[in-house]
Amino acid sequence: MLFRVGRDARRFINGGFQQVNFPAAGTVTLIYGTAANGLQITAASPAPQLLHQEVDDIEDAAEGDDRFGAALAVGNFNGDDFDDLVVVAPGDNLVHVFLGTNVGLDLDDDLLIDGSNGFFDLQNQPKTIFFAAGLARGDFNRDGFDDIAIEAREFSGVGQRGAVVVIRGGPSGLSVVSSRI
């Protein structure tokens, strides 16, 4: 079960740690379940895990209005039988992908997808897109690996167009190389 909460952060400033407030920076709290207890938090349960952009090994730093966790998806994107987590931070124009392991999420090797590179339209032209808070998971191409569809915007002329970015899963996880808008 996943849910979002607000937060303050601590940063090393002028020789010491100080509380800093980042309005709408965003967090995700991950509560691990067990076969025996489900989502009950007991002494035998794995400890809940708080994810945000100030946690060691998570790419990027927290700023106000990042909205880390504005959209979440859980799926098995690399076929290893462990659930992975996708977290959208639309204020940063980023998508974080954390791979699941037998001991929880691997924060060291998270994949960071930036909307400003690696995306192509149907005419194979490079496009900068801006991620929004819509996200869906499914095996859209029926290859046995979960894929994601992300709500996005692209600027065209003087306005914006809505877009959906589809990123396919595979043996190596989600691949921006195979994405289209």
Side-chain angles (χ1 to χ4, degrees):
M1 178 175 173
L2 303 163
F3 59 97
R4 294 172 287 283
V5 296
R7 74 170 179 87
D8 290 335
R10 290 170 38 100
R11 282 208 174 147
F12 194 77
I13 302 172
N14 296 328
F17 283 100
Q18 297 177 18
Q19 283 297 121
V20 291
N21 185 18
F22 298 115
T27 64
V28 174
T29 302
L30 181 62
I31 300 173
Y32 292 97
T34 64
N37 296 325
L39 286 177
Q40 294 179 358
I41 300 175
T42 66
S45 302
Q49 189 174 12
L50 180 66
L51 304 179
H52 53 80
Q53 291 174 310
E54 294 292 312
V55 170
D56 287 343
D57 299 321
I58 291 182
E59 301 283 337
D60 200 43
E63 300 97 14
D65 295 321
D66 282 350
R67 296 176 36 229
F68 179 86
L72 305 170
V74 175
N76 187 2
F77 304 108
N78 58 0
D80 65 358
D81 293 330
F82 297 106
D83 282 337
D84 309 313
L85 175 65
V86 175
V87 178
V88 178
D92 265 341
N93 200 25
L94 297 174
V95 174
H96 296 260
V97 182
F98 303 100
L99 298 178
T101 71
N102 63 336
V103 293
L105 293 178
D106 179 0
L107 302 183
D108 291 334
D109 295 318
D110 61 316
L111 170 64
L112 194 63
I113 301 170
D114 181 342
S116 65
N117 60 37
F119 293 95
F120 297 88
D121 65 14
L122 295 175
Q123 289 76 39
N124 213 30
Q125 298 299 310
K127 290 285 184 180
T128 295
I129 54 99
F130 299 89
F131 294 120
L135 182 63
R137 176 211 43 95
D139 184 2
F140 305 131
N141 58 356
R142 300 184 63 170
D143 65 353
F145 297 96
D146 287 333
D147 312 305
I148 58 172
I150 309 168
E151 176 189 7
R153 302 179 319 274
E154 66 172 301
F155 290 93
S156 176
V158 295
Q160 296 182 42
R161 293 192 301 186
V164 175
V165 176
V166 176
I167 302 175
R168 291 186 171 89
S172 299
L174 292 171
S175 172
V176 175
V177 172
S178 64
S179 68
R180 289 284 181 256
I181 58 172

